[in-house]
Amino acid sequence: MVNPSSVYCGRLAPSPTGLLHLGHARTFWTAMERAWAARSTSSGQAGGTLRLRNDDLDTARCHPDFVTAMIEDLRWFGLQWDEPVVTQSQRIPLYRAALARLHDAGHIFPCSCSRRDVQQAATAPHESTDEPLYPGTCRPENLPPASRLQPPASPAQGDGLNWRFRVPDGETLSFTDGHFGEQHAVAGRDFGDFLIWRKDDAPSYQLACVVDDAALGITEVVRGADLIKSTFRQLLLFRALESRAPAFYHCPLLTDDKGVRLAKRHDALALRTLREQGKTPEQIRAGWA
Ligand code: GLU
């Protein structure tokens, strides 16, 4: 399934954890326009494609009703994609294979810290759109030998352990964003060891996202600017998995009238609400101009 050439391939990757709002619509519209632009300029080639990826791995928050609503709302808004839809919960063996590769190459370690442990240990306040810096608690070299976790030889199904990626402390990572230009971050300072596999036996967003973007041959990732920090983590994962990283284009985030970033709790700005109020997609898009 790997994209054999550099023919543009983009993706829309909503999570069915709530109703899609205006912010999603604007980002996805940009993604579609960029795929279409590639389509019209790639003379003689198959042209750009756009896939829809259903990011439904968070079983506690994702719901089938939101998947139905998501597809209905995307279609209503005028978004079009190439079938078939990719559903992450159906791709667990692929993620597990990548987990084993990362383990064999020595990139991950087991961790017993809870999210709260990490939050409490964080020395600096973290941006609300990102996770706190991992303090290194369970890195094997930081534990007294007696209390080192005795992990199984390799991550095993149901081992009840979190597995984290060990970032190369001090390395500066860079990429040129299609919208925001040059971006840099220092591993271990701007972001720390991040989750690869969760103790409830589910892959992390970072792992699943990279495995899918590589497997589907995605050439450009278009998504919200809240994920810029994650892009650095994902660049490390592409490298560790020996896959070519796509280009990245992050879209500015929409805010409400109080300057607060739109989230799924902003029901008033859900596409569904706007539609029920009689707004048309054209009117909504005209508001962005
Ligand atoms: N599903 C993710 C989200 O809704 C987006 C993932 C991505 O575009 O990489 O935040």
Side-chain angles (χ1 to χ4, degrees):
M1 264 210 284
V2 175
N3 194 349
S5 64
S6 55
V7 174
Y8 188 99
C9 185
R11 84 310 193 263
L12 314 173
S15 303
T17 55
L19 293 173
L20 296 182
H21 57 62
L22 272 185
H24 298 107
R26 194 168 75 161
T27 297
F28 293 158
W29 195 258
T30 302
M32 191 174 74
E33 284 185 330
R34 292 184 67 78
W36 281 5
R39 206 165 279 198
S40 57
T41 54
S42 55
S43 53
Q45 291 192 330
T49 52
L50 186 66
R51 304 297 300 271
L52 175 62
R53 190 180 85 200
N54 169 13
D55 281 9
D56 64 343
L57 287 175
D58 184 348
T59 45
R61 295 169 62 224
C62 293
H63 196 278
D65 288 351
F66 287 134
V67 179
T68 312
M70 172 172 104
I71 290 184
E72 211 176 276
D73 291 349
L74 291 171
R75 288 221 172 98
W76 170 77
F77 195 69
L79 287 153
Q80 293 169 32
W81 54 87
D82 297 283
E83 299 289 338
V85 175
V86 176
T87 297
Q88 289 196 316
S89 60
Q90 294 170 1
R91 296 165 65 80
I92 302 293
L94 271 182
Y95 311 137
R96 216 178 270 291
L99 171 72
R101 280 190 65 189
L102 293 174
H103 180 266
D104 293 348
H107 288 296
I108 58 174
F109 62 90
C111 173
S112 59
C113 298
S114 65
R115 189 187 289 248
R116 179 180 294 186
D117 293 336
V118 177
Q119 248 152 16
Q120 285 174 346
T123 47
H126 58 280
E127 294 162 33
S128 58
T129 57
D130 201 61
E131 62 187 53
L133 200 66
Y134 179 68
T137 319
C138 294
R139 273 192 175 192
E141 68 271 26
N142 293 341
L143 293 173
S147 61
R148 275 184 202 162
L149 289 178
Q150 293 302 318
S154 57
Q157 200 160 349
D159 62 15
L161 292 168
N162 285 313
W163 289 84
R164 283 183 188 272
F165 187 93
R166 173 199 290 269
V167 303
D169 288 336
E171 181 180 335
T172 300
L173 292 144
S174 311
F175 68 96
T176 306
D177 187 76
H179 179 84
F180 290 103
E182 285 302 303
Q183 301 293 312
H184 307 279
V186 178
R189 185 195 75 186
D190 298 322
F191 65 95
D193 298 341
F194 57 90
L195 269 188
I196 288 291
W197 205 269
R198 302 194 325 227
K199 60 172 183 260
D200 59 358
D201 202 27
S204 71
Y205 154 67
Q206 310 292 353
L207 180 69
C209 182
V210 166
V211 168
D212 286 339
D213 285 338
L216 299 169
I218 301 300
T219 60
E220 183 179 70
V221 167
V222 178
R223 61 185 173 200
D226 53 324
L227 290 169
I228 289 183
K229 205 58 100 49
S230 281
T231 297
F232 295 108
R233 300 182 178 103
Q234 293 176 13
L235 287 172
L236 288 174
L237 277 180
F238 279 110
R239 186 168 80 189
L241 292 168
E242 297 172 329
S243 295
R244 184 144 54 123
F248 292 93
Y249 184 105
H250 290 88
C251 300
L253 299 176
L254 279 188
T255 53
D256 66 11
D257 51 5
K258 295 186 190 66
V260 177
R261 181 168 79 96
L262 291 197
K264 290 194 172 116
R265 61 184 176 277
H266 282 83
D267 282 349
L269 298 173
L271 290 180
R272 197 147 277 238
T273 313
L274 298 169
R275 171 177 157 191
E276 279 159 14
Q277 288 167 351
K279 287 251 172 25
T280 65
E282 292 72 23
Q283 286 169 336
I284 294 173
R285 286 196 289 277
W288 298 337

